[in-house]
Amino acid sequence: MAKNKGVRIVITLRCTNCKKSAEKRELNSNQGLNDTKKKKKIDYTTTKNRRNTPDRLELKKFCPNCNSHTLQKEIK
């Protein structure tokens, strides 16, 4: 028999500002404009308690691409 996953699960956090700028870069690249500055996709991993926080987690963390503390949201 398989065991339960447990209460604590590992989640991934991604910057909301970089995600928006990445979408703009994709639109610009489709139009033929070149973006010389490439940004790395930086993700944070952490754990959360599934019972206490069933909704998606949002934390303020440092983003090296934005060079500031920004809102990091949980992704799948």
Side-chain angles (χ1 to χ4, degrees):
M1 266 174 99
K3 291 185 177 180
N4 282 345
K5 285 187 176 181
V7 178
R8 298 200 71 81
I9 56 171
V10 177
I11 60 166
T12 305
L13 300 172
R14 184 168 294 155
C15 177
T16 55
N17 291 343
C18 292
K19 186 171 68 171
K20 290 176 186 174
S21 65
E23 290 171 357
K24 288 179 184 177
R25 270 199 317 265
E26 288 177 7
L27 291 174
N28 289 343
S29 64
N30 290 342
Q31 295 173 355
L33 300 174
N34 291 332
D35 191 22
T36 57
K37 190 175 181 182
K38 292 194 176 189
K39 294 184 178 183
K40 287 185 178 180
K41 184 172 59 170
I42 306 290
D43 292 337
Y44 286 100
T45 55
T46 186
T47 59
K48 77 170 187 178
N49 190 324
R50 197 184 316 210
R51 290 185 190 145
N52 293 342
T53 54
D55 51 343
R56 291 194 181 242
L57 192 64
E58 295 179 358
L59 297 173
K60 273 191 113 174
K61 291 200 162 275
F62 181 77
C63 176
N65 290 332
C66 301
N67 202 21
S68 64
H69 285 82
T70 58
L71 189 66
Q72 308 274 337
K73 288 189 177 182
E74 178 183 347
I75 60 169
K76 263 205 161 180

